[in-house]
Amino acid sequence: MDSSDLREMARRDFLKWIGPAGIVAGAGLCSCWGCRTTPITHRRQLLLIPESQEKEMGVAAYQEVKQKNVLSTNAQHKEVVERVGQRLAAASGRTDYQWEFTVIDDKTQNAFCLPGGKVAFYEGILPICQNEAGVAVVMSHEISHALARHGGERMSQQMEVQGAGKILQLIARKEAPDKEQVFLSVYNVGAEYGLVLPYSRKHETEADEMGIHLMAQAGYDPNEAPKFWERFAASHHGKTPTEFLSTHPSDDRRAAALRQLLPQALREYEASPNNYGVGAPLV
Ligand SMILES: [Zn+2]
């Protein structure tokens, strides 16, 4: 099945999911209509789902991911991912998130962060990370998708097409059978579901930009961000696997774009109370 089939399947699933929704829960609607801008990049965005609902779904979906996958027993990997995660979490200022960091025993080169701070790392990406700062590059990118509510924005765009009136109620429909799956698909937790909706170029670029600032503020050397993407590009010779790994922009181009952001990110790194450099190597 190629990616356009997957996309079509995801689209159909999404429509099936939102189709039967009934009553309008209009009250909360205007309070979340387009009233938000993204952190750091300050882009206005359309969000039809309250963040509290996104977080609730994030928690449920994360539970499911943990149950359906084999969790890593590699003590070093778990320790590094946890340490980097806690530092990025602190730098994000999101004390309302219940942060959690899990390493999955799987060769997939992927990682994700669900709303509410639920992070998963697949073992397969760690050799390319090489060190703590490399983990910070990937994780800050993923966390940025969640902080900027890119999944919620994608769901909102779909919902707008379908008619916003049906939406809030369907989110509340706990019995909707495909809800978790569709939710996971908009956060690109697709590997185990065969369902991936690639983020748009705009979201990828934005997550890169937010991510390099976040890692620098957390005390990791931002020079590692373009270097990671160069290593990543070299590791699969133009063949792109899943998620951030998804379609665009090309790895080389994102490395170049990140280099342009370096001067500002380096100033933030130097101003950070902690300077960890690239941190410990991964073995
Ligand atoms: Zn991404």
Side-chain angles (χ1 to χ4, degrees):
M1 194 181 289
D2 71 17
S3 61
S4 62
D5 289 336
L6 283 178
R7 231 165 294 159
E8 177 55 24
M9 192 174 89
R11 195 187 67 81
R12 278 202 311 270
D13 277 4
F14 194 93
L15 297 181
K16 191 170 80 190
W17 178 52
I18 67 173
I23 306 159
V24 180
L29 195 59
C30 26
S31 64
C32 49
W33 253 107
C35 62
R36 190 180 180 276
T37 57
T38 54
I40 298 176
T41 54
H42 308 296
R43 176 176 59 80
R44 279 189 72 79
Q45 59 184 166
L46 170 72
L47 288 163
L48 301 177
I49 309 157
E51 189 171 18
S52 57
Q53 296 273 19
E54 284 177 30
K55 284 194 207 164
E56 223 174 86
M57 286 191 283
V59 170
Y62 196 62
Q63 269 313 108
E64 197 180 317
V65 169
K66 286 194 293 184
Q67 278 160 12
K68 285 188 175 169
N69 287 278
V70 179
L71 304 188
S72 173
T73 54
N74 184 314
Q76 197 223 5
H77 289 172
K78 291 198 292 184
E79 207 180 289
V80 166
V81 166
E82 178 76 27
R83 182 163 61 234
V84 173
Q86 292 296 351
R87 288 170 178 171
L88 291 171
S92 79
R94 291 303 297 260
T95 49
D96 58 314
Y97 274 24
Q98 292 187 311
W99 293 94
E100 201 176 334
F101 308 93
T102 300
V103 182
I104 294 173
D105 183 358
D106 189 305
K107 286 203 271 297
T108 310
Q109 294 179 331
N110 205 3
F112 62 81
C113 176
L114 297 174
K118 303 298 189 187
V119 176
F121 251 70
Y122 294 73
E123 294 267 8
I125 194 68
L126 292 173
I128 305 170
C129 295
Q130 280 189 3
N131 52 46
E132 280 187 42
V135 171
V137 174
V138 174
M139 199 185 297
S140 63
H141 172 98
E142 295 305 327
I143 285 176
S144 295
H145 278 309
L147 294 176
R149 296 177 60 190
H150 286 161
E153 193 175 7
R154 293 162 78 192
M155 282 198 274
S156 301
Q157 286 158 355
Q158 295 279 355
M159 289 167 175
E160 197 183 31
V161 173
Q162 287 299 297
K166 294 179 177 177
I167 303 316
L168 290 179
Q169 184 65 22
L170 82 90
I171 296 294
R173 273 166 46 100
K174 299 221 185 289
E175 75 277 14
D178 298 334
K179 189 168 72 172
E180 254 90 59
Q181 193 177 1
V182 173
F183 177 75
L184 287 170
S185 78
V186 298
Y187 274 92
N188 288 90
V189 188
E192 62 271 37
Y193 296 93
L195 189 70
V196 175
L197 293 170
Y199 281 114
S200 68
R201 176 178 297 212
K202 182 172 72 179
H203 284 171
E204 287 302 333
T205 306
E206 188 165 79
D208 281 350
E209 181 180 345
M210 289 174 65
I212 195 171
H213 292 299
L214 188 61
M215 76 178 281
Q217 288 159 14
Y220 285 107
D221 184 353
N223 281 300
E224 199 62 18
K227 286 185 192 163
F228 168 84
W229 287 109
E230 283 154 5
R231 288 198 296 274
F232 186 75
S235 77
H236 54 87
H237 309 293
K239 261 178 64 192
T240 42
T242 49
E243 197 316 82
F244 58 50
L245 332 166
S246 65
T247 50
H248 32 222
S250 79
D251 303 327
D252 292 332
R253 228 181 316 153
R254 59 200 314 176
L258 283 165
R259 281 195 197 286
Q260 292 199 328
L261 299 171
L262 264 181
Q264 173 64 28
L266 281 165
R267 280 194 289 279
E268 289 163 0
Y269 173 62
E270 275 146 29
S272 167
N274 304 299
N275 281 173
Y276 304 113
V278 296
L282 283 165
V283 288

